[in-house]
Amino acid sequence: MAEERSAVQPQHSAPSAGFSGLLQEASAPLGSSQDRAVQPFPRSPKLQRKAAVDAPPSERQLSKHLEELKVESSRTDAHIESLKKRRADLSRTSEVMKQQVREHFNNMRRVLQQDEQAALDSLELDLRQTRTRLDQVLKNWEQHQDRVSRAILGTRRALSPGAEQDGKARPETISPKIPNAAEREIRLDGERFEKLLKTLSSVSRNLRAQLQRKTLLLDSSPMVIDRQTCHPQVTVTSEGRGLAFSGPAQSAPERPLQFDKVLCALGSSPIAAGRGYWEVDTRCCSAWAVGVAYATLQRKGRDAAAKLGRNRNSWCVELKRGQLSAWHNDRSVACQGAGRGPPGRVGVWVNYDKGQLMFYDADSMAVLQSFSAAVTPVFDRAHHQFTEPLYPALRFLKPTEPQVWPSHLEVCSPGSISSISPHSPL
C-alpha cells in the first residue's frame, strides 16, 4: 500500500510544479529576453495614421499644398481689396448723403431768407407809407407856421412908430390851426406787426417740432390692424389702418384671438427688437386709448386683464371725460401735456432694446408720458427690458352722456406722418 501511495503521489505533484513555473514566468521582468511586451498589429489604423503624420510629406503633397496656399492667398487678397473698396465706397456714399442733407437745409435756409426778406420788405413799405403821410402833415404844419411867422412880423410892424400913417401896415389875421384827429392815426401798423410776431412764433415752434419729429420718422414703418383681434362691434377699413365703431354686433363666429367684451384691436406687426414709431389720428373720436400690449393680453371678458393699461401686459394713454391720462399696471397719472387740450394725433415711439416707451402729441411733439426702467412713484413696476414682442393697441372707450359714441380711429400712413399736420396750431 505504501508503494502504491508513493507511486501515485508524483502524479498529483506535477500540476503544482507547473503552476509555480507559470507564476515564475509571470513574475519575470518585462524587459527580459524571455518575454517581451506584445506590440500592436503592424497594420492597425492607429499605426498607419501615426506613420502618415510622422513621415515627411512627399514632393507631390508639398506641391499640392503650395497650390492650395496660392489659391488661398489670392482669395484673401481679393477679399482685402473688396473690403478696401467698400471702405472707400462708404466714404463716398457718406459724402453724397451729407451733400444731399446740406442741399435740403440750404433750401430751407433759402426759403427762410426769402420769407425773412419779404417780412422785412413789408415792414419797410409800411414805414415808407407812414412816413409819406406824416411828411405831408408835417409840411402842412410848417406852412401854417410860416403864415403865423409872417403875421407876427406884420403885427410888429403895425406896432412900430409911424405905422399909423402907413395904411398898408395892417396885421394879417390867421385862424388857429387845430390838430386833425387823423394825425394821431398815422403810425406803423402795430396790430399787423403783433400778428406777424405771433405767426412767426407759431411757425418757429412748429418747425422745431417737425425737426425733432424727423428723428422719430426714421423709425416709422407701415402698421395695419389685425382683423382677427377686433371686437365684433369694431370694423376695419379696406386698407387696414382705420377702425370704426359699428354699433350693435352682428352674428359672426367667434375667433380665438378676438376681444369679445372690450372694444379693442391689436396691430398685426409686433416690435421685438430695435425701434419703432407710428401715429394714430384721434380727431374723430371723443374717448379712446392708444398704446402697446403683449400678445398675452387677455382677450376674453371685461375685467382688468383685458383692458389696456389695467395690467402688467399693456401701456397706454387714454382720453376719457375730456381728461388725458397714462395707464400701466392699473395705475394712472395725468399726462404732462394735458393742459393744452387733447391731441389730434398721438405718436408712439418704442425702443425695445432699452425698454423705453414714449407717447407724443404729434402736432407739437410735446411728451405726453414716458415709460422706462426708472422707478416712479406711480408705476411701481420698473421693467429693465420688455419680455415679449410689443403690439400696437387701440381701444374705443364709452364717453359720458352728453357726448356721442366714438366713431373712428386712424393709424396714419407713413406718407401722412412725414407731412405737417394741417391741424397743427399756427
Side-chain angles (χ1 to χ4, degrees), residues 119-242:
L120 295 177
D121 291 344
S122 176
L123 292 174
E124 184 66 26
L125 178 61
D126 185 21
L127 174 63
R128 288 200 301 267
Q129 292 175 348
T130 304
R131 274 183 174 176
T132 300
R133 295 193 339 242
L134 191 58
D135 289 345
Q136 184 62 42
V137 172
L138 179 62
K139 182 178 179 181
N140 293 337
W141 277 97
E142 288 175 347
Q143 292 175 353
H144 178 72
Q145 180 67 14
D146 289 342
R147 290 196 297 270
V148 171
S149 298
R150 287 196 301 268
I152 291 173
L153 182 60
T155 303
R156 286 176 177 174
R157 286 178 180 175
L159 292 174
S160 62
E164 296 179 356
Q165 291 80 14
D166 189 1
K168 295 182 179 180
R170 292 184 179 181
E172 182 180 358
T173 303
I174 301 296
S175 300
K177 185 175 177 61
I178 301 175
N180 193 342
E183 296 178 9
R184 289 189 287 272
E185 302 299 326
I186 301 176
R187 60 171 61 92
L188 295 175
D189 195 344
E191 183 179 355
R192 189 169 183 269
F193 177 69
E194 291 297 330
K195 289 182 179 179
L196 174 62
L197 290 183
K198 186 176 180 181
T199 303
L200 289 177
S201 178
S202 177
V203 170
S204 177
R205 288 195 303 269
N206 190 275
L207 179 60
R208 189 180 299 109
Q210 294 302 319
L211 290 177
Q212 179 186 357
R213 193 181 183 210
K214 79 179 189 318
T215 304
L216 300 179
L217 294 179
L218 299 178
D219 302 323
S220 64
S221 58
M223 196 271 281
V224 295
I225 304 299
D226 186 356
R227 302 173 190 270
Q228 299 297 319
T229 66
C230 293
H231 184 274
Q233 291 179 268
V234 175
T235 59
V236 184
T237 56
S238 58
E239 67 276 8
R241 289 191 297 270

Side-chain angles (χ1 to χ4, degrees), residues 280-285 288 317-319 324 335 337-338 340-347 360-364 366 368:
V280 180
D281 192 331
T282 60
R283 288 171 293 167
C284 297
C285 190
W288 46 262
V317 294
E318 71 175 34
L319 177 68
L324 194 64
C335 289
R340 292 187 291 267
R345 287 186 179 186
V346 177
Y360 293 90
D361 181 339
D363 291 332
S364 64
L368 300 177

Side-chain angles (χ1 to χ4, degrees), residues 49 91 158 271 298 342 375 379:
R49 288 194 300 268
S91 300
I271 297 177
Q298 185 172 305
V375 178
F379 308 109

Side-chain angles (χ1 to χ4, degrees), residues 266-383:
L266 300 181
S268 60
S269 301
I271 297 177
R275 293 169 293 194
Y277 179 75
W278 65 92
E279 293 179 359
V280 180
D281 192 331
T282 60
R283 288 171 293 167
C284 297
C285 190
S286 57
W288 46 262
V290 174
V292 296
Y294 292 150
T296 51
L297 181 68
Q298 185 172 305
R299 314 294 175 88
K300 308 302 178 184
R302 60 175 70 255
D303 57 4
K307 297 178 181 179
L308 292 183
R310 286 2 183 235
N311 46 70
R312 295 190 173 189
N313 295 327
S314 60
W315 298 255
C316 75
V317 294
E318 71 175 34
L319 177 68
K320 190 173 184 180
R321 299 185 182 91
Q323 302 297 321
L324 194 64
S325 57
W327 285 82
H328 173 59
N329 198 21
D330 206 19
R331 297 190 176 189
S332 67
V333 63
C335 289
Q336 301 171 13
R340 292 187 291 267
R345 287 186 179 186
V346 177
V348 185
W349 180 76
V350 176
N351 188 332
Y352 189 91
D353 299 330
K354 293 187 177 181
Q356 295 177 340
L357 171 64
M358 300 190 73
F359 294 93
Y360 293 90
D361 181 339
D363 291 332
S364 64
M365 293 313 296
V367 177
L368 300 177
Q369 183 61 42
S370 61
F371 297 92
S372 66
V375 178
T376 64
V378 177
F379 308 109
D380 57 350
R381 182 192 181 214
H383 64 278

